[in-house]
Amino acid sequence: MIYKDLNQYSGHFSEYTELRLQENRNNRISMVNGDVMGNSVSSSSGVSSRVYKEGNWGFSSSPDLSDSAVEYVVRSASDNVRFMNDRNKMECGFILPDTCGHYEMDLTTQISRNSQKQWIDFLKDIDDYIQKKYPNLTSRTIVLAGLDMEKSLLTSSGSTSYSMTPRGIMYVSLSMENNGELVELMDVFGGLGQLEDHFLDPTQFYANIDSLADHLSRKADGVYTDAGMKDVILDADLAGILAHEAIGHTTEADLVLGGSVAREYMGRQVASELVTLIDYANSVEGKTCPVPVYIDDEGTPSEDTVIIKDGELKSFMHNKDSARHFETTPTGNARAYAFSDEPLIRMRNTAIKPGTNTLEEMIAAIDDGYYLMKSSNGQADSTSEFMFGVPLGYEIRGGKLGNAIKDTTISGVAFDVLKTIDMISSDMTWSAGGMCGKKQWIPVGMGGPAIKCQVNIGGR
Amino acid sequence: MPSQYWGSLAHLRDAEIPDYCIEQLIKAGGDKVQCVYSKGEKRELNVDAGEFSLFRTTANHGISLAVIKDQKKGSLSINKINQEDIDESVATVLTMAASSMPDEAYDISENQPAKSFSKGPTEPELEKMYNRMEEFMDFSGSTFPTTIIEQAIMDFSAGTSYYRNSNGVAFDETGGSYSFSAMFTSKEGEDTSSFNSAGFSSLDMDNPLHEGGSIKRLLKESAEHVRTKPVPKKFTGDIIVTPDCIMDFIGFFLGNISDYRLIAGTSLFRESIGEAITNGLLTLHSTPLSDDLSGGYFVTGDGYEAANATIIEQGILKTFLLSLYGSNKTGLKRGPNSGGSLIIDSGKTALNDIVKSVKQGVLLSRFSGGSPSDNGDFSGVAKNSFYIEDGEIQYPISETMVSGNIADMFHNIKDISEDNVNFGDEIFPWIHFGGITVS
């Protein structure tokens, strides 16, 4: 538990200053073929301060949470910005936009906490179920992972916030051999909340595991995809990674300044008119998102960033410095992973807004294509060109689902792919364990509805 | 840093803190216990969108405890170094071990002679770091004016770690090094290259940053990649994989000879020690003690003094990279180190001559690909890459997929360059493969 109220330290501030106390706590248990391979907990806490002056930043952190350590890091951050100011005088006179907000959010579970033994028993139950029901599998891997991020913030603009944002997830990975070939499939469960909020009763996951094993069995008999441009349905998992990786990153203002193609597209039609793409701050239609942010780590009240509205590129995601550069307002996207990390422009919960179609209608509308359900990983770059691995999908022939497919990849230029979207499902599903890497790793929300579009699919 | 609040541990020297932890873990009932205490500092300069932006200094320390009791194991790490938190952690990790399931494979390293190791400087030349960054920005701005340095990070990290276990193992490691990385994109009007990145580590700041690793070459290639086109048509041909992306393919082999896949029973190479897993042109070493590298380490994660090792010698698999647990679990020999610090032996052919030998192919500078399937099938986009025809590099390409099977591909190595790149943590040459589908 860290201090919630940091006002006592405001007397240490002399320039624009952010002060953050933070503790990240992890619990991770992994079981492979019934054996406990990992059984660990960890915590990392400390204080950091960031000071802005004349266009430069100074940052300092310490693992010590004492009053003297707080005073030390503020002084050290000021010394660091002075080091920069003495050498880099290019940006004298720059002033950051002023934002102020107050919010307190504690999502600690209201359920009594489980012991480590109960979690190991939970995993053992699931492993026993898999082993007994599917004895022919080559391997079973189950991982339970909890992350609590607890932060307190005070800025010289007067913003204050306290948040305890937990994530609890379980990975289940199964593999089997078919004709000498190893085939693997994984699913992830859980999301916002501590482990107790998701994983009290192992029997609730038996149906999910049956579904995973069924998909794996079908995939083992799967067919290679026909390479080329195809009509496809990208289910929520893939639509989410498309929105995040291929569009979202190109519209982070720091990457725009770094040369992303999106800079030239502002105000232009970059997608089908059906497409509205939003980086949600904390909730969608009253439901809390996987990574709710109410005040960001620069003390800016977070708001939804409508990146694309009805197909037109409308906004980038900003922190204070990029907002100053673009002469606009910060959007509350500045986030840091650890106490020793500085805030960067990060997405929060990025998704295409749901449409009006059903998945059945979308499948029926494809004569020769694929229903692509899961992503294994994804990469995109400043041109919005992307590539995602697809470990699970099915053929669509004559408007009906057909054979499962083997591992494949999809690729394209995202801003071109968005123009081919002609159907969007009305539902909304968030992926359970989204993480994003950009100097620091950080939890993000990715998901959305299913979309029907055209992409280039790999083949043998 | 202000003085630490150690409570009643204030009288202890750094090296005595893990000794205290070991003593407490044994007193609490641990059968076999280990502790790693580490402390370090980082100084970091950042450039964003072509401008100096941030000077960051961080300090951290931490204790990692592991205990085996009745052949059950628990692990815990904290970064609060005071008696109250350590004593509480000792009790917690014992409870975690008691909560777990027994496994005969759990163990700690056996007694070895106590040793202290050190490598690299412990204090940075801060002014020089700033000047080298400024010099790099001047160089890239004047030599490649269409290239935007999206972000550049120069840091110096130094620290000490103390490994102790209840078998009497006591290793101390002190080290420091500089590292530099840059991410960049080139732009002419609305034409934009793919982003690319490059970096390296070093024990000193004696040379300009753009001379390190592949930095200058990749900046030049980025500027050439503003206007690209796809390959003319689908073909089966050659790829020359640059040192910058060979790890995307070598990683497949390392994954198959390390703990997880060997324990899970999904390794392709479980029975392959002494057998050819690539053709005879490839020799791959893991050399954490190499003087040719600025990186490396002296102690493995499970408490053994690390040794250099040849993993693949002229195509023959020589060793797995199993930890003590992985070794006990599989009945296979423990690895001589924890992997990394890789060096691929260079060949005898100049890179230019390798390019001349390619009838139709791709010079692959960055691979944006999905994880290969378990059998090694892969496909991905060739980024920042060039089309080769009739022995000459023709033009920069985009929207081009390369696909094949990694296991097969390494049996089809045609040549390895005499040229190589030292990234500080690794040394890799260019490798020429045949039989790859390009579309």
Side-chain angles (χ1 to χ4, degrees), chain A residues 278-310:
Chain A
I278 299 171
D279 182 54
Y280 295 99
N282 43 57
S283 58
V284 184
E285 295 177 357
K287 291 182 183 169
T288 304
C289 293
V291 182
V293 178
Y294 291 88
I295 301 265
D296 76 1
D297 291 337
E298 291 181 339
T300 299
S302 294
E303 57 188 49
D304 293 348
T305 307
V306 180
I307 298 166
I308 297 172
K309 183 170 173 51
D310 302 330

Side-chain angles (χ1 to χ4, degrees), chain B residues 175-346:
Chain B
S177 66
Y178 298 90
S179 75
F180 174 73
S181 65
M183 179 179 275
F184 39 87
T185 300
S186 296
K187 215 167 170 66
E188 286 182 39
E190 291 195 12
D191 295 324
T192 303
S193 75
S194 292
F195 77 78
N196 207 349
S197 62
F200 67 96
S201 65
S202 174
L203 297 179
D204 58 52
M205 285 284 90
D206 292 348
N207 298 305
L209 298 177
H210 57 265
E211 300 292 350
S214 302
I215 306 269
K216 189 160 62 178
R217 175 172 51 82
L218 294 186
L219 283 170
K220 176 175 176 291
E221 290 181 2
S222 175
E224 294 167 357
H225 260 83
V226 168
R227 292 181 193 89
T228 58
K229 54 185 179 179
V231 294
K233 61 179 181 181
K234 180 177 177 178
F235 64 89
T236 300
D238 296 354
I239 58 173
I240 300 171
V241 179
T242 65
D244 309 287
C245 71
I246 195 65
M247 261 307 287
D248 289 323
F249 301 95
I250 291 290
F252 169 78
F253 291 93
L254 300 177
N256 272 284
I257 62 171
S258 299
D259 274 11
Y260 175 69
R261 286 201 174 276
L262 285 163
I263 292 171
T266 58
S267 167
L268 294 182
F269 305 130
R270 171 72 173 77
E271 310 296 335
S272 299
I273 290 285
E275 294 182 3
I277 62 170
T278 74
N279 76 9
L281 293 176
L282 186 83
T283 294
L284 169 69
H285 312 274
S286 176
T287 59
L289 309 179
S290 172
D291 288 335
D292 293 331
L293 299 174
S294 60
Y297 54 90
F298 297 95
V299 182
T300 66
D302 46 11
Y304 286 95
E305 185 177 353
N308 291 337
T310 298
I311 299 172
I312 299 170
E313 185 170 22
Q314 296 181 340
I316 308 294
L317 180 63
K318 305 299 283 187
T319 182
F320 294 125
L321 292 174
L322 283 163
S323 69
L324 175 61
Y325 174 77
S327 169
N328 290 344
K329 199 70 193 160
T330 58
L332 300 167
K333 193 176 171 189
R334 187 179 62 80
N337 59 46
S338 299
S341 303
L342 300 172
I343 296 177
I344 294 177
D345 282 354
S346 292

